[in-house]
Protein backbone atom coordinates (compact mmCIF):
# COMPACT_ATOMS: atom_id res chain seq x y z
CA UNK A 1 0.00 0.00 0.00
CA UNK A 2 1.40 3.32 -1.01
CA UNK A 3 0.20 6.64 0.27
CA UNK A 4 1.07 10.25 -0.40
CA UNK A 5 2.08 12.46 2.49
CA UNK A 6 1.66 16.18 2.07
CA UNK A 7 3.16 18.64 4.52
CA UNK A 8 2.82 22.38 4.71
CA UNK A 9 5.94 24.12 5.95
CA UNK A 10 3.95 27.23 6.77
CA UNK A 11 1.30 25.86 9.12
CA UNK A 12 3.03 22.53 9.81
CA UNK A 13 -0.05 20.55 8.91
CA UNK A 14 0.30 17.12 7.45
CA UNK A 15 -2.17 14.93 5.62
CA UNK A 16 -1.99 11.46 4.17
CA UNK A 17 -3.79 10.83 0.93
CA UNK A 18 -4.80 7.80 -1.00
CA UNK A 19 -3.19 7.96 -4.47
CA UNK A 20 -6.46 6.90 -6.09
CA UNK A 21 -8.15 10.00 -4.66
CA UNK A 22 -5.44 12.28 -5.97
CA UNK A 23 -5.63 10.69 -9.41
CA UNK A 24 -9.30 11.71 -9.60
CA UNK A 25 -8.29 15.33 -9.21
CA UNK A 26 -4.91 15.65 -10.81
CA UNK A 27 -4.88 12.70 -13.19
CA UNK A 28 -2.28 10.00 -13.17
CA UNK A 29 0.67 12.29 -12.54
CA UNK A 30 3.82 11.56 -10.62
CA UNK A 31 4.40 12.78 -7.12
CA UNK A 32 6.85 15.47 -8.19
CA UNK A 33 4.31 17.27 -10.31
CA UNK A 34 1.84 17.29 -7.42
CA UNK A 35 4.19 19.67 -5.62
CA UNK A 36 3.35 22.47 -8.02
CA UNK A 37 -0.35 21.62 -8.23
CA UNK A 38 -1.43 21.11 -4.65
CA UNK A 39 -2.11 24.05 -2.38
CA UNK A 40 -2.46 24.17 1.37
CA UNK A 41 -6.09 24.11 2.45
CA UNK A 42 -5.34 26.77 5.05
CA UNK A 43 -4.14 29.31 2.55
CA UNK A 44 -3.10 29.47 -1.07
CA UNK A 45 -0.19 31.68 -0.03
CA UNK A 46 1.44 28.97 2.05
CA UNK A 47 3.79 28.17 -0.78
CA UNK A 48 5.03 24.86 -2.03
CA UNK A 49 4.07 21.77 -0.10
CA UNK A 50 6.30 18.84 0.68
CA UNK A 51 4.87 15.89 -1.18
CA UNK A 52 6.26 12.41 -0.87
CA UNK A 53 5.04 8.94 -1.62
CA UNK A 54 5.56 6.44 1.14
CA UNK A 55 4.59 2.92 2.06
CA UNK A 56 3.69 2.78 5.75
CA UNK A 57 5.14 -0.07 7.71
CA UNK A 58 2.73 -2.22 9.70
CA UNK A 59 3.33 -0.23 12.85
CA UNK A 60 3.01 3.11 11.06
CA UNK A 61 -0.24 2.04 9.43
CA UNK A 62 -1.92 1.59 12.81
CA UNK A 63 -3.88 4.72 13.58
CA UNK A 64 -2.70 6.45 10.43
CA UNK A 65 -5.38 8.87 9.37
CA UNK A 66 -6.00 9.14 5.69
CA UNK A 67 -7.70 12.16 4.22
CA UNK A 68 -10.30 10.76 1.87
CA UNK A 69 -11.92 12.53 -1.01
CA UNK A 70 -15.60 13.15 -0.27
CA UNK A 71 -16.68 15.08 -3.33
CA UNK A 72 -15.33 17.24 -6.10
CA UNK A 73 -17.12 20.54 -6.34
CA UNK A 74 -17.12 22.18 -9.71
CA UNK A 75 -16.89 25.96 -9.67
CA UNK A 76 -19.47 27.46 -11.99
CA UNK A 77 -18.00 30.64 -13.40
CA UNK A 78 -20.43 32.89 -15.29
CA UNK A 79 -19.16 34.35 -18.54
CA UNK A 80 -20.95 37.45 -19.79
CA UNK A 81 -21.03 39.24 -23.08
CA UNK A 82 -22.93 42.30 -24.26
CA UNK A 83 -25.61 41.72 -26.91
CA UNK A 84 -24.60 43.37 -30.20
CA UNK A 85 -26.45 46.70 -30.49
ZN1 LIG B 1 -0.40 25.70 5.27
Amino acid sequence: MRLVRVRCRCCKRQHNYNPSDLIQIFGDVDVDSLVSRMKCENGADHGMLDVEAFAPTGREAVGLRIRRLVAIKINRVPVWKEDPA
Side-chain angles (χ1 to χ4, degrees):
M1 178 171 84
R2 273 169 76 79
L3 296 170
V4 177
R5 180 184 285 144
V6 178
R7 258 193 231 106
C8 175
R9 271 171 255 183
C10 184
C11 54
K12 312 270 189 273
R13 291 215 323 164
Q14 173 179 311
H15 292 302
N16 302 303
Y17 295 92
N18 218 310
S20 60
D21 283 347
L22 296 177
I23 284 168
Q24 288 192 58
I25 304 166
F26 301 106
D28 196 2
V29 296
D30 56 57
V31 169
D32 289 338
S33 69
L34 288 175
V35 172
S36 55
R37 293 185 192 210
M38 294 187 79
K39 288 194 188 89
C40 180
E41 289 172 41
N42 287 353
D45 58 340
H46 285 191
M48 296 261 269
L49 304 174
D50 286 331
V51 182
E52 59 170 350
F54 72 109
T57 60
R59 194 144 44 112
E60 254 185 318
V62 176
L64 190 74
R65 297 185 69 189
I66 299 174
R67 199 160 178 82
R68 296 305 312 263
L69 182 66
V70 178
I72 300 175
K73 285 196 194 169
I74 311 281
N75 268 339
R76 280 153 49 97
V77 181
V79 179
W80 300 94
K81 190 183 171 207
E82 221 58 62
D83 240 3

